[in-house]
Amino acid sequence: MEESSPDSGGNEAREPHEGIDADGGDCNGDGGEDRSEPSEVGGSPSASGGDGAAAAAGVSAKFTLGDTSEGEVFCARFSPDDLYLAAASGCGSILVYNALTGKRAFVLKCGQEDRLPTTQLRWRPQQALSKTKNVLVSVSADGRVLHWHASSGKCLHEIVEPDNQLFCVDYMADGSQFATAGRRREVHVYDECTKKLAAVLSGGEEGRTPGHSNRVFSLKFHPTMRSVLVTGGWDNTLQIWDLRRGHAVRAIFGPHVCGDAVDIAQDGETILTGSWRVDKQLQLWDFRSERLMETIPWRTGASLAQPCMVYAAQFSKTGTRLIAAGGSGANEAKIFDRQGGSVVGNVLGLTRACYSVDFSNSDRDHAGRGRRRRLRAHRERERVLIRRSQTDRR
């Protein structure tokens, strides 16, 4: 089916969009293209203290993508064919770059000038029934869910969730459904073909979990179980939801998730969490038993370096050996090799937090986002680490 036209208690200081009210708007699909060459970045990123200095030696700059007015970036994702890299900005627009050349290819924006931030996006999987390619879905702090055709810059469809702030979205593996979550302590599941609401998941299994009690910042469909998805948020829990039951059926207690920091291994057996706290930031959990399998240390040995509180964490998309993560405090991003128990890539010296990380689907590239209005690419072996950060506003 072709796309249709539009119809219609935690620590609050930790969330970058705190205090934003929902405010809907019209969508007119104002796309654009910038063919200017990106500026080059020379040398390696700065290193400071602890194990980071040695690890940074394996990371070198590839290219810089420069923007001067789009604000901070809260999410970045490679397209399924790895040809494009989409970045969701604080001003509400989405910047789409050519991942091979570093040139900005498209700008996706609605007509409303003072839009609230686009908080997360996902490209539609190639397995989806629709023949239309280069489609992505985005959510924003004003409660809007927008489907975009990146190549034409057009908005294909708009959904508004009244009185909600949306912070996360994900597609089912086959692209037949997608789900959203945010300020409300529930999950909305939509049919991708009709764009109609298919289910609202709320509450929990009596005697096992009550569901979420605070905002939800990360959502992930299970890769092999169509009816299962996992969410994490401010209430220090992961909730495991069953679409057939309409509510959460199990919970894992402990992770303090404040960003896109929940992932599931491709075999469906291991959950990765990133927590916004000074210790035990990266943890691996057994999906079936909910047992903690491993805590991955951010630093090894004694270190006086400032800790990093994790906003984003992800498995490599071709396996679970590599893990990428980034956050605030130390304002850095790392790539971990689980087999060797070592850090194989380290980006230091960011002026602000890293909010998003992403591996390419071929496992050759890796993207990470922070806040400095510059988009830098760093190569680690055959992989690319990309970050975006913004200097303090004057």
mmCIF file of all heavy atoms in Angstrom, residues 213-258:
data_model
loop_
_atom_site.group_PDB
_atom_site.id
_atom_site.type_symbol
_atom_site.label_atom_id
_atom_site.label_comp_id
_atom_site.label_asym_id
_atom_site.label_seq_id
_atom_site.Cartn_x
_atom_site.Cartn_y
_atom_site.Cartn_z
ATOM 1 N N SER A 213 5.625 4.169 36.028
ATOM 2 C CA SER A 213 5.093 5.189 36.923
ATOM 3 C C SER A 213 5.637 6.573 36.591
ATOM 4 O O SER A 213 5.366 7.533 37.300
ATOM 5 C CB SER A 213 5.431 4.850 38.377
ATOM 6 O OG SER A 213 6.839 4.800 38.569
ATOM 7 N N ASN A 214 6.427 6.674 35.517
ATOM 8 C CA ASN A 214 6.983 7.963 35.116
ATOM 9 C C ASN A 214 7.248 7.926 33.608
ATOM 10 O O ASN A 214 6.907 6.959 32.927
ATOM 11 C CB ASN A 214 8.272 8.271 35.890
ATOM 12 C CG ASN A 214 8.471 9.751 36.128
ATOM 13 O OD1 ASN A 214 8.204 10.573 35.258
ATOM 14 N ND2 ASN A 214 8.935 10.104 37.323
ATOM 15 N N ARG A 215 7.863 8.977 33.083
ATOM 16 C CA ARG A 215 8.048 9.131 31.644
ATOM 17 C C ARG A 215 8.868 7.993 31.033
ATOM 18 O O ARG A 215 9.757 7.431 31.662
ATOM 19 C CB ARG A 215 8.729 10.469 31.350
ATOM 20 C CG ARG A 215 7.935 11.668 31.835
ATOM 21 C CD ARG A 215 8.584 12.962 31.413
ATOM 22 N NE ARG A 215 7.844 14.104 31.946
ATOM 23 C CZ ARG A 215 7.977 15.345 31.494
ATOM 24 N NH1 ARG A 215 8.830 15.600 30.521
ATOM 25 N NH2 ARG A 215 7.269 16.321 32.013
ATOM 26 N N VAL A 216 8.575 7.728 29.772
ATOM 27 C CA VAL A 216 9.240 6.660 29.020
ATOM 28 C C VAL A 216 10.139 7.306 27.969
ATOM 29 O O VAL A 216 9.681 8.135 27.179
ATOM 30 C CB VAL A 216 8.213 5.731 28.344
ATOM 31 C CG1 VAL A 216 8.914 4.629 27.574
ATOM 32 C CG2 VAL A 216 7.263 5.159 29.387
ATOM 33 N N PHE A 217 11.420 6.895 27.945
ATOM 34 C CA PHE A 217 12.372 7.517 27.034
ATOM 35 C C PHE A 217 12.975 6.559 26.013
ATOM 36 O O PHE A 217 13.666 7.003 25.098
ATOM 37 C CB PHE A 217 13.511 8.167 27.834
ATOM 38 C CG PHE A 217 13.102 9.435 28.502
ATOM 39 C CD1 PHE A 217 12.731 9.442 29.839
ATOM 40 C CD2 PHE A 217 13.048 10.622 27.804
ATOM 41 C CE1 PHE A 217 12.339 10.606 30.461
ATOM 42 C CE2 PHE A 217 12.653 11.791 28.412
ATOM 43 C CZ PHE A 217 12.298 11.791 29.750
ATOM 44 N N SER A 218 12.735 5.283 26.146
ATOM 45 C CA SER A 218 13.296 4.335 25.182
ATOM 46 C C SER A 218 12.308 3.206 24.944
ATOM 47 O O SER A 218 11.644 2.741 25.877
ATOM 48 C CB SER A 218 14.629 3.763 25.706
ATOM 49 O OG SER A 218 15.311 3.055 24.696
ATOM 50 N N LEU A 219 12.206 2.776 23.693
ATOM 51 C CA LEU A 219 11.249 1.745 23.294
ATOM 52 C C LEU A 219 11.894 0.875 22.223
ATOM 53 O O LEU A 219 12.487 1.386 21.272
ATOM 54 C CB LEU A 219 9.979 2.418 22.752
ATOM 55 C CG LEU A 219 8.781 1.571 22.355
ATOM 56 C CD1 LEU A 219 7.510 2.413 22.408
ATOM 57 C CD2 LEU A 219 8.927 0.986 20.955
ATOM 58 N N LYS A 220 11.773 -0.427 22.376
ATOM 59 C CA LYS A 220 12.390 -1.348 21.430
ATOM 60 C C LYS A 220 11.516 -2.578 21.219
ATOM 61 O O LYS A 220 11.173 -3.282 22.179
ATOM 62 C CB LYS A 220 13.776 -1.789 21.965
ATOM 63 C CG LYS A 220 14.549 -2.679 21.015
ATOM 64 C CD LYS A 220 15.050 -1.903 19.816
ATOM 65 C CE LYS A 220 15.908 -2.776 18.902
ATOM 66 N NZ LYS A 220 16.392 -2.034 17.730
ATOM 67 N N PHE A 221 11.135 -2.838 19.960
ATOM 68 C CA PHE A 221 10.430 -4.080 19.642
ATOM 69 C C PHE A 221 11.394 -5.254 19.731
ATOM 70 O O PHE A 221 12.572 -5.139 19.366
ATOM 71 C CB PHE A 221 9.857 -4.017 18.227
ATOM 72 C CG PHE A 221 8.465 -3.451 18.151
ATOM 73 C CD1 PHE A 221 8.254 -2.141 17.776
ATOM 74 C CD2 PHE A 221 7.366 -4.250 18.451
ATOM 75 C CE1 PHE A 221 6.974 -1.613 17.696
ATOM 76 C CE2 PHE A 221 6.076 -3.733 18.383
ATOM 77 C CZ PHE A 221 5.882 -2.406 18.004
ATOM 78 N N HIS A 222 10.888 -6.388 20.201
ATOM 79 C CA HIS A 222 11.702 -7.595 20.253
ATOM 80 C C HIS A 222 11.967 -8.058 18.823
ATOM 81 O O HIS A 222 11.066 -8.059 17.985
ATOM 82 C CB HIS A 222 10.967 -8.690 21.041
ATOM 83 C CG HIS A 222 11.850 -9.815 21.452
ATOM 84 N ND1 HIS A 222 12.177 -10.843 20.595
ATOM 85 C CD2 HIS A 222 12.476 -10.081 22.635
ATOM 86 C CE1 HIS A 222 12.958 -11.699 21.229
ATOM 87 N NE2 HIS A 222 13.162 -11.263 22.465
ATOM 88 N N PRO A 223 13.205 -8.460 18.496
ATOM 89 C CA PRO A 223 13.539 -8.801 17.104
ATOM 90 C C PRO A 223 12.924 -10.100 16.598
ATOM 91 O O PRO A 223 12.782 -10.286 15.387
ATOM 92 C CB PRO A 223 15.064 -8.892 17.126
ATOM 93 C CG PRO A 223 15.413 -9.201 18.545
ATOM 94 C CD PRO A 223 14.387 -8.496 19.369
ATOM 95 N N THR A 224 12.536 -11.017 17.504
ATOM 96 C CA THR A 224 11.999 -12.312 17.054
ATOM 97 C C THR A 224 10.590 -12.591 17.547
ATOM 98 O O THR A 224 9.935 -13.499 17.040
ATOM 99 C CB THR A 224 12.920 -13.465 17.516
ATOM 100 O OG1 THR A 224 12.961 -13.501 18.951
ATOM 101 C CG2 THR A 224 14.331 -13.289 16.968
ATOM 102 N N MET A 225 10.105 -11.839 18.536
ATOM 103 C CA MET A 225 8.750 -12.028 19.063
ATOM 104 C C MET A 225 7.896 -10.826 18.671
ATOM 105 O O MET A 225 8.047 -9.734 19.228
ATOM 106 C CB MET A 225 8.784 -12.189 20.585
ATOM 107 C CG MET A 225 9.602 -13.365 21.065
ATOM 108 S SD MET A 225 9.611 -13.452 22.884
ATOM 109 C CE MET A 225 10.696 -14.870 23.145
ATOM 110 N N ARG A 226 7.000 -11.018 17.724
ATOM 111 C CA ARG A 226 6.234 -9.908 17.173
ATOM 112 C C ARG A 226 5.372 -9.197 18.211
ATOM 113 O O ARG A 226 5.123 -7.994 18.102
ATOM 114 C CB ARG A 226 5.318 -10.405 16.049
ATOM 115 C CG ARG A 226 6.027 -10.790 14.769
ATOM 116 C CD ARG A 226 5.010 -11.340 13.763
ATOM 117 N NE ARG A 226 3.851 -10.476 13.629
ATOM 118 C CZ ARG A 226 3.768 -9.445 12.792
ATOM 119 N NH1 ARG A 226 4.801 -9.146 12.024
ATOM 120 N NH2 ARG A 226 2.657 -8.714 12.725
ATOM 121 N N SER A 227 4.915 -9.894 19.212
ATOM 122 C CA SER A 227 3.972 -9.316 20.161
ATOM 123 C C SER A 227 4.641 -8.716 21.389
ATOM 124 O O SER A 227 3.958 -8.314 22.328
ATOM 125 C CB SER A 227 2.963 -10.383 20.610
ATOM 126 O OG SER A 227 3.640 -11.457 21.244
ATOM 127 N N VAL A 228 5.965 -8.632 21.394
ATOM 128 C CA VAL A 228 6.686 -8.197 22.586
ATOM 129 C C VAL A 228 7.502 -6.942 22.293
ATOM 130 O O VAL A 228 8.143 -6.830 21.243
ATOM 131 C CB VAL A 228 7.612 -9.314 23.103
ATOM 132 C CG1 VAL A 228 8.451 -8.817 24.285
ATOM 133 C CG2 VAL A 228 6.808 -10.541 23.500
ATOM 134 N N LEU A 229 7.487 -5.996 23.217
ATOM 135 C CA LEU A 229 8.370 -4.839 23.154
ATOM 136 C C LEU A 229 8.822 -4.473 24.560
ATOM 137 O O LEU A 229 8.195 -4.853 25.551
ATOM 138 C CB LEU A 229 7.717 -3.661 22.442
ATOM 139 C CG LEU A 229 6.396 -3.088 22.951
ATOM 140 C CD1 LEU A 229 6.628 -2.069 24.066
ATOM 141 C CD2 LEU A 229 5.646 -2.418 21.806
ATOM 142 N N VAL A 230 9.925 -3.737 24.638
ATOM 143 C CA VAL A 230 10.541 -3.378 25.920
ATOM 144 C C VAL A 230 10.686 -1.864 25.981
ATOM 145 O O VAL A 230 11.069 -1.221 24.998
ATOM 146 C CB VAL A 230 11.918 -4.046 26.083
ATOM 147 C CG1 VAL A 230 12.569 -3.648 27.404
ATOM 148 C CG2 VAL A 230 11.793 -5.561 25.979
ATOM 149 N N THR A 231 10.383 -1.281 27.133
ATOM 150 C CA THR A 231 10.528 0.154 27.330
ATOM 151 C C THR A 231 11.309 0.430 28.603
ATOM 152 O O THR A 231 11.372 -0.392 29.516
ATOM 153 C CB THR A 231 9.158 0.852 27.437
ATOM 154 O OG1 THR A 231 8.419 0.266 28.522
ATOM 155 C CG2 THR A 231 8.363 0.715 26.153
ATOM 156 N N GLY A 232 11.907 1.631 28.666
ATOM 157 C CA GLY A 232 12.616 2.061 29.856
ATOM 158 C C GLY A 232 12.404 3.543 30.091
ATOM 159 O O GLY A 232 12.142 4.301 29.145
ATOM 160 N N GLY A 233 12.519 3.971 31.355
ATOM 161 C CA GLY A 233 12.279 5.376 31.651
ATOM 162 C C GLY A 233 12.809 5.808 32.997
ATOM 163 O O GLY A 233 13.686 5.173 33.588
ATOM 164 N N TRP A 234 12.215 6.900 33.501
ATOM 165 C CA TRP A 234 12.671 7.534 34.728
ATOM 166 C C TRP A 234 12.373 6.739 35.995
ATOM 167 O O TRP A 234 12.920 7.048 37.059
ATOM 168 C CB TRP A 234 11.991 8.893 34.858
ATOM 169 C CG TRP A 234 12.732 10.005 34.213
ATOM 170 C CD1 TRP A 234 13.980 9.972 33.659
ATOM 171 C CD2 TRP A 234 12.277 11.351 34.081
ATOM 172 N NE1 TRP A 234 14.327 11.192 33.171
ATOM 173 C CE2 TRP A 234 13.305 12.067 33.408
ATOM 174 C CE3 TRP A 234 11.110 12.018 34.431
ATOM 175 C CZ2 TRP A 234 13.192 13.425 33.108
ATOM 176 C CZ3 TRP A 234 11.004 13.374 34.127
ATOM 177 C CH2 TRP A 234 12.037 14.066 33.485
ATOM 178 N N ASP A 235 11.484 5.766 35.910
ATOM 179 C CA ASP A 235 11.053 5.087 37.140
ATOM 180 C C ASP A 235 11.961 3.934 37.545
ATOM 181 O O ASP A 235 11.600 3.115 38.384
ATOM 182 C CB ASP A 235 9.611 4.596 36.994
ATOM 183 C CG ASP A 235 9.445 3.633 35.824
ATOM 184 O OD1 ASP A 235 10.457 3.259 35.186
ATOM 185 O OD2 ASP A 235 8.291 3.258 35.519
ATOM 186 N N ASN A 236 13.156 3.857 36.947
ATOM 187 C CA ASN A 236 14.150 2.829 37.289
ATOM 188 C C ASN A 236 13.675 1.417 36.966
ATOM 189 O O ASN A 236 14.035 0.453 37.656
ATOM 190 C CB ASN A 236 14.533 2.920 38.772
ATOM 191 C CG ASN A 236 15.154 4.260 39.128
ATOM 192 O OD1 ASN A 236 15.934 4.815 38.360
ATOM 193 N ND2 ASN A 236 14.777 4.796 40.273
ATOM 194 N N THR A 237 12.852 1.280 35.934
ATOM 195 C CA THR A 237 12.422 -0.054 35.507
ATOM 196 C C THR A 237 12.473 -0.186 33.995
ATOM 197 O O THR A 237 12.382 0.804 33.261
ATOM 198 C CB THR A 237 10.978 -0.372 35.945
ATOM 199 O OG1 THR A 237 10.057 0.392 35.143
ATOM 200 C CG2 THR A 237 10.758 -0.075 37.409
ATOM 201 N N LEU A 238 12.627 -1.429 33.555
ATOM 202 C CA LEU A 238 12.305 -1.823 32.183
ATOM 203 C C LEU A 238 10.981 -2.564 32.254
ATOM 204 O O LEU A 238 10.787 -3.416 33.116
ATOM 205 C CB LEU A 238 13.366 -2.765 31.605
ATOM 206 C CG LEU A 238 14.786 -2.255 31.404
ATOM 207 C CD1 LEU A 238 15.609 -3.357 30.729
ATOM 208 C CD2 LEU A 238 14.817 -0.989 30.593
ATOM 209 N N GLN A 239 10.075 -2.235 31.356
ATOM 210 C CA GLN A 239 8.801 -2.938 31.289
ATOM 211 C C GLN A 239 8.769 -3.780 30.019
ATOM 212 O O GLN A 239 9.114 -3.297 28.930
ATOM 213 C CB GLN A 239 7.634 -1.948 31.296
ATOM 214 C CG GLN A 239 7.547 -1.105 32.553
ATOM 215 C CD GLN A 239 7.198 -1.921 33.792
ATOM 216 O OE1 GLN A 239 6.475 -2.915 33.718
ATOM 217 N NE2 GLN A 239 7.706 -1.484 34.953
ATOM 218 N N ILE A 240 8.384 -5.032 30.154
ATOM 219 C CA ILE A 240 8.254 -5.948 29.009
ATOM 220 C C ILE A 240 6.766 -6.107 28.730
ATOM 221 O O ILE A 240 6.011 -6.607 29.581
ATOM 222 C CB ILE A 240 8.917 -7.300 29.311
ATOM 223 C CG1 ILE A 240 10.412 -7.086 29.635
ATOM 224 C CG2 ILE A 240 8.752 -8.253 28.130
ATOM 225 C CD1 ILE A 240 11.128 -8.340 30.101
ATOM 226 N N TRP A 241 6.339 -5.660 27.548
ATOM 227 C CA TRP A 241 4.930 -5.594 27.187
ATOM 228 C C TRP A 241 4.553 -6.707 26.223
ATOM 229 O O TRP A 241 5.353 -7.102 25.369
ATOM 230 C CB TRP A 241 4.616 -4.253 26.528
ATOM 231 C CG TRP A 241 5.018 -3.043 27.312
ATOM 232 C CD1 TRP A 241 6.268 -2.495 27.387
ATOM 233 C CD2 TRP A 241 4.170 -2.233 28.129
ATOM 234 N NE1 TRP A 241 6.250 -1.381 28.200
ATOM 235 C CE2 TRP A 241 4.979 -1.189 28.667
ATOM 236 C CE3 TRP A 241 2.819 -2.261 28.449
ATOM 237 C CZ2 TRP A 241 4.468 -0.202 29.502
ATOM 238 C CZ3 TRP A 241 2.311 -1.275 29.283
ATOM 239 C CH2 TRP A 241 3.126 -0.270 29.805
ATOM 240 N N ASP A 242 3.318 -7.182 26.337
ATOM 241 C CA ASP A 242 2.764 -8.183 25.422
ATOM 242 C C ASP A 242 1.547 -7.569 24.730
ATOM 243 O O ASP A 242 0.553 -7.246 25.380
ATOM 244 C CB ASP A 242 2.365 -9.446 26.190
ATOM 245 C CG ASP A 242 2.020 -10.608 25.268
ATOM 246 O OD1 ASP A 242 1.495 -10.369 24.157
ATOM 247 O OD2 ASP A 242 2.267 -11.765 25.662
ATOM 248 N N LEU A 243 1.640 -7.394 23.412
ATOM 249 C CA LEU A 243 0.540 -6.780 22.664
ATOM 250 C C LEU A 243 -0.742 -7.587 22.780
ATOM 251 O O LEU A 243 -1.844 -7.037 22.702
ATOM 252 C CB LEU A 243 0.926 -6.612 21.194
ATOM 253 C CG LEU A 243 1.708 -5.344 20.811
ATOM 254 C CD1 LEU A 243 3.108 -5.360 21.428
ATOM 255 C CD2 LEU A 243 1.818 -5.213 19.298
ATOM 256 N N ARG A 244 -0.619 -8.898 22.972
ATOM 257 C CA ARG A 244 -1.814 -9.744 23.076
ATOM 258 C C ARG A 244 -2.529 -9.538 24.403
ATOM 259 O O ARG A 244 -3.744 -9.733 24.489
ATOM 260 C CB ARG A 244 -1.405 -11.217 22.924
ATOM 261 C CG ARG A 244 -0.772 -11.538 21.571
ATOM 262 C CD ARG A 244 -0.048 -12.870 21.597
ATOM 263 N NE ARG A 244 1.071 -12.835 22.560
ATOM 264 C CZ ARG A 244 1.933 -13.833 22.718
ATOM 265 N NH1 ARG A 244 1.821 -14.933 21.993
ATOM 266 N NH2 ARG A 244 2.912 -13.729 23.611
ATOM 267 N N ARG A 245 -1.797 -9.129 25.421
ATOM 268 C CA ARG A 245 -2.389 -8.925 26.749
ATOM 269 C C ARG A 245 -2.804 -7.475 26.967
ATOM 270 O O ARG A 245 -3.633 -7.184 27.829
ATOM 271 C CB ARG A 245 -1.395 -9.344 27.837
ATOM 272 C CG ARG A 245 -0.858 -10.768 27.664
ATOM 273 C CD ARG A 245 -1.898 -11.816 28.013
ATOM 274 N NE ARG A 245 -2.153 -11.807 29.443
ATOM 275 C CZ ARG A 245 -1.429 -12.482 30.333
ATOM 276 N NH1 ARG A 245 -0.369 -13.182 29.933
ATOM 277 N NH2 ARG A 245 -1.748 -12.457 31.614
ATOM 278 N N GLY A 246 -2.164 -6.551 26.250
ATOM 279 C CA GLY A 246 -2.518 -5.146 26.373
ATOM 280 C C GLY A 246 -1.867 -4.424 27.534
ATOM 281 O O GLY A 246 -2.236 -3.291 27.843
ATOM 282 N N HIS A 247 -0.899 -5.071 28.200
ATOM 283 C CA HIS A 247 -0.229 -4.435 29.325
ATOM 284 C C HIS A 247 1.153 -5.050 29.525
ATOM 285 O O HIS A 247 1.531 -6.009 28.839
ATOM 286 C CB HIS A 247 -1.053 -4.564 30.608
ATOM 287 C CG HIS A 247 -1.401 -5.988 30.958
ATOM 288 N ND1 HIS A 247 -2.676 -6.470 30.937
ATOM 289 C CD2 HIS A 247 -0.626 -7.041 31.340
ATOM 290 C CE1 HIS A 247 -2.693 -7.745 31.296
ATOM 291 N NE2 HIS A 247 -1.448 -8.103 31.546
ATOM 292 N N ALA A 248 1.903 -4.506 30.475
ATOM 293 C CA ALA A 248 3.213 -5.055 30.808
ATOM 294 C C ALA A 248 3.046 -6.371 31.555
ATOM 295 O O ALA A 248 2.184 -6.490 32.443
ATOM 296 C CB ALA A 248 4.002 -4.065 31.650
ATOM 297 N N VAL A 249 3.864 -7.351 31.226
ATOM 298 C CA VAL A 249 3.744 -8.673 31.842
ATOM 299 C C VAL A 249 4.936 -9.010 32.746
ATOM 300 O O VAL A 249 4.839 -9.877 33.599
ATOM 301 C CB VAL A 249 3.589 -9.760 30.767
ATOM 302 C CG1 VAL A 249 2.270 -9.601 30.039
ATOM 303 C CG2 VAL A 249 4.752 -9.730 29.771
ATOM 304 N N ARG A 250 6.047 -8.306 32.543
ATOM 305 C CA ARG A 250 7.231 -8.525 33.379
ATOM 306 C C ARG A 250 7.981 -7.211 33.513
ATOM 307 O O ARG A 250 7.752 -6.272 32.756
ATOM 308 C CB ARG A 250 8.160 -9.585 32.762
ATOM 309 C CG ARG A 250 7.555 -10.986 32.723
ATOM 310 C CD ARG A 250 8.597 -11.998 32.263
ATOM 311 N NE ARG A 250 8.917 -11.873 30.848
ATOM 312 C CZ ARG A 250 10.136 -12.015 30.329
ATOM 313 N NH1 ARG A 250 11.176 -12.224 31.132
ATOM 314 N NH2 ARG A 250 10.326 -11.940 29.037
ATOM 315 N N ALA A 251 8.909 -7.154 34.460
ATOM 316 C CA ALA A 251 9.691 -5.940 34.663
ATOM 317 C C ALA A 251 11.091 -6.288 35.148
ATOM 318 O O ALA A 251 11.310 -7.324 35.786
ATOM 319 C CB ALA A 251 9.005 -5.007 35.657
ATOM 320 N N ILE A 252 12.027 -5.423 34.826
ATOM 321 C CA ILE A 252 13.393 -5.493 35.341
ATOM 322 C C ILE A 252 13.635 -4.209 36.117
ATOM 323 O O ILE A 252 13.441 -3.107 35.594
ATOM 324 C CB ILE A 252 14.417 -5.635 34.198
ATOM 325 C CG1 ILE A 252 14.235 -6.972 33.480
ATOM 326 C CG2 ILE A 252 15.842 -5.487 34.731
ATOM 327 C CD1 ILE A 252 15.109 -7.150 32.253
ATOM 328 N N PHE A 253 14.049 -4.337 37.355
ATOM 329 C CA PHE A 253 14.214 -3.173 38.212
ATOM 330 C C PHE A 253 15.689 -2.799 38.316
ATOM 331 O O PHE A 253 16.544 -3.667 38.484
ATOM 332 C CB PHE A 253 13.641 -3.459 39.609
ATOM 333 C CG PHE A 253 12.162 -3.694 39.603
ATOM 334 C CD1 PHE A 253 11.649 -4.975 39.418
ATOM 335 C CD2 PHE A 253 11.278 -2.636 39.763
ATOM 336 C CE1 PHE A 253 10.284 -5.202 39.402
ATOM 337 C CE2 PHE A 253 9.909 -2.850 39.747
ATOM 338 C CZ PHE A 253 9.406 -4.130 39.557
ATOM 339 N N GLY A 254 15.976 -1.508 38.165
ATOM 340 C CA GLY A 254 17.346 -1.035 38.304
ATOM 341 C C GLY A 254 17.768 0.037 37.324
ATOM 342 O O GLY A 254 18.247 1.097 37.748
ATOM 343 N N PRO A 255 17.640 -0.157 36.001
ATOM 344 C CA PRO A 255 18.138 0.834 35.040
ATOM 345 C C PRO A 255 17.381 2.157 35.128
ATOM 346 O O PRO A 255 16.149 2.179 35.183
ATOM 347 C CB PRO A 255 17.907 0.151 33.690
ATOM 348 C CG PRO A 255 17.827 -1.312 33.998
ATOM 349 C CD PRO A 255 17.181 -1.394 35.338
ATOM 350 N N HIS A 256 18.129 3.255 35.126
ATOM 351 C CA HIS A 256 17.542 4.596 35.141
ATOM 352 C C HIS A 256 17.737 5.182 33.741
ATOM 353 O O HIS A 256 18.770 5.782 33.433
ATOM 354 C CB HIS A 256 18.217 5.464 36.199
ATOM 355 C CG HIS A 256 17.605 6.818 36.334
ATOM 356 N ND1 HIS A 256 16.330 7.018 36.818
ATOM 357 C CD2 HIS A 256 18.087 8.059 36.044
ATOM 358 C CE1 HIS A 256 16.055 8.303 36.827
ATOM 359 N NE2 HIS A 256 17.105 8.964 36.359
ATOM 360 N N VAL A 257 16.751 4.999 32.889
ATOM 361 C CA VAL A 257 16.863 5.323 31.465
ATOM 362 C C VAL A 257 16.331 6.731 31.208
ATOM 363 O O VAL A 257 15.174 7.025 31.487
ATOM 364 C CB VAL A 257 16.091 4.291 30.618
ATOM 365 C CG1 VAL A 257 16.147 4.666 29.141
ATOM 366 C CG2 VAL A 257 16.674 2.894 30.836
ATOM 367 N N CYS A 258 17.197 7.589 30.655
ATOM 368 C CA CYS A 258 16.831 8.980 30.364
ATOM 369 C C CYS A 258 16.993 9.322 28.890
ATOM 370 O O CYS A 258 16.917 10.499 28.513
ATOM 371 C CB CYS A 258 17.678 9.932 31.193
ATOM 372 S SG CYS A 258 17.396 9.804 32.971
#
